[in-house]
Amino acid sequence: MPQLQKAKHLIGRSLVLRNATVADAGFILSLRTDRSKSKYLSYTPPEIEKQIKWLENYATKSDQAYFIIEDKFGGEIGVVRLYDQRGDSFCWGSWILKNNAPQSAAIESALIIYAYAISHLGFNQAHFDVRKDNKKVWQFHERFGAMRIGETADDYLYQIGLKDITASLRRYKKFLPGPIVVVNYDES
């Protein structure tokens, strides 16, 4: 049975996903309260103390993994989270990239998430929701092979299986040509 697990680092071709810590509160809050980016997210209170408290609580839990997306030089360019395990399916979201992130950051970060969840954690599928107004993102997921399986008043609901994830990892191989390197906390 797969299980969500935090990792210290997930290293791809040009990106590193690093486990989020309390020290990242200001960066995360700046993304989540950015007016243009937050319109597709659940509300985040603008107080830094609340973000710090959330990250302190996150550090004690094992039911999700929250990553800071960095370039190879350690520059912070975004965030992404794995959560809501349902059997062999994981949810991913809270995915935000800075406006000046490299064009390939979206696709490479998605590939890293799928490679980690499938190859290292043992998941066979993913589920997630995307705001209906966030056309660019739901079109991105549909190009990856995600199937729209329902909707709510605000969101489209998606699922993607192992076959389509594997096909996307092959199709977009130029963005992640080799396996990711996973650095766990017990290896550092």
Side-chain angles (χ1 to χ4, degrees):
M1 173 74 141
Q3 185 173 357
L4 282 173
Q5 181 180 331
K6 295 174 186 168
K8 188 173 184 181
H9 294 100
L10 307 178
I11 303 168
R13 179 182 60 92
S14 63
L15 298 179
V16 175
L17 277 59
R18 172 183 58 76
N19 189 49
T21 67
V22 170
D24 299 307
F27 175 67
I28 294 168
L29 191 62
S30 74
L31 289 176
R32 292 194 61 88
T33 58
D34 177 286
R35 193 171 295 190
S36 67
K37 300 199 177 289
S38 65
K39 64 183 172 184
Y40 302 122
L41 303 173
S42 56
Y43 173 74
T44 300
E47 296 86 16
I48 190 75
E49 298 81 16
K50 289 184 179 180
Q51 188 66 56
I52 290 169
K53 186 75 172 161
W54 190 95
L55 286 162
E56 288 172 343
N57 186 46
Y58 160 74
T60 68
K61 305 286 184 181
S62 60
D63 62 345
Q64 59 184 307
Y66 196 24
F67 295 104
I68 303 299
I69 304 168
E70 297 179 335
D71 62 28
K72 286 284 189 174
F73 306 105
E76 300 166 328
I77 61 171
V79 294
V80 65
R81 184 167 68 110
L82 283 76
Y83 59 101
D84 190 31
Q85 178 175 350
R86 298 180 192 165
D88 69 347
S89 182
F90 71 97
C91 183
W92 69 286
S94 304
W95 187 32
I96 312 168
L97 294 169
K98 287 173 54 173
N99 290 334
N100 63 348
Q103 283 188 321
S104 62
I107 197 159
E108 185 177 349
S109 61
L111 293 168
I112 291 170
I113 288 297
Y114 283 129
Y116 178 58
I118 300 302
S119 299
H120 295 273
L121 300 181
F123 287 94
N124 290 315
Q125 57 186 321
H127 60 278
F128 47 89
D129 55 81
V130 180
R131 294 279 193 249
K132 290 179 178 178
D133 292 340
N134 200 353
K135 185 176 182 179
K136 187 173 161 185
V137 171
W138 58 255
Q139 286 178 330
F140 175 92
H141 287 299
E142 288 178 4
R143 282 192 303 275
F144 255 73
M147 299 297 298
R148 193 179 299 173
I149 58 168
E151 62 183 87
T152 66
D154 297 324
D155 301 322
Y156 290 129
L157 309 176
Y158 286 93
Q159 185 172 5
I160 184 169
L162 183 59
K163 179 181 157 203
D164 289 311
I165 292 170
T166 303
S168 287
L169 286 166
R170 277 193 311 269
R171 182 179 326 121
Y172 299 112
K173 191 172 181 74
K174 74 177 187 176
F175 297 98
L176 192 64
I180 64 169
V181 174
V182 177
V183 178
N184 291 310
Y185 280 95
D186 55 357
E187 297 171 3
S188 49

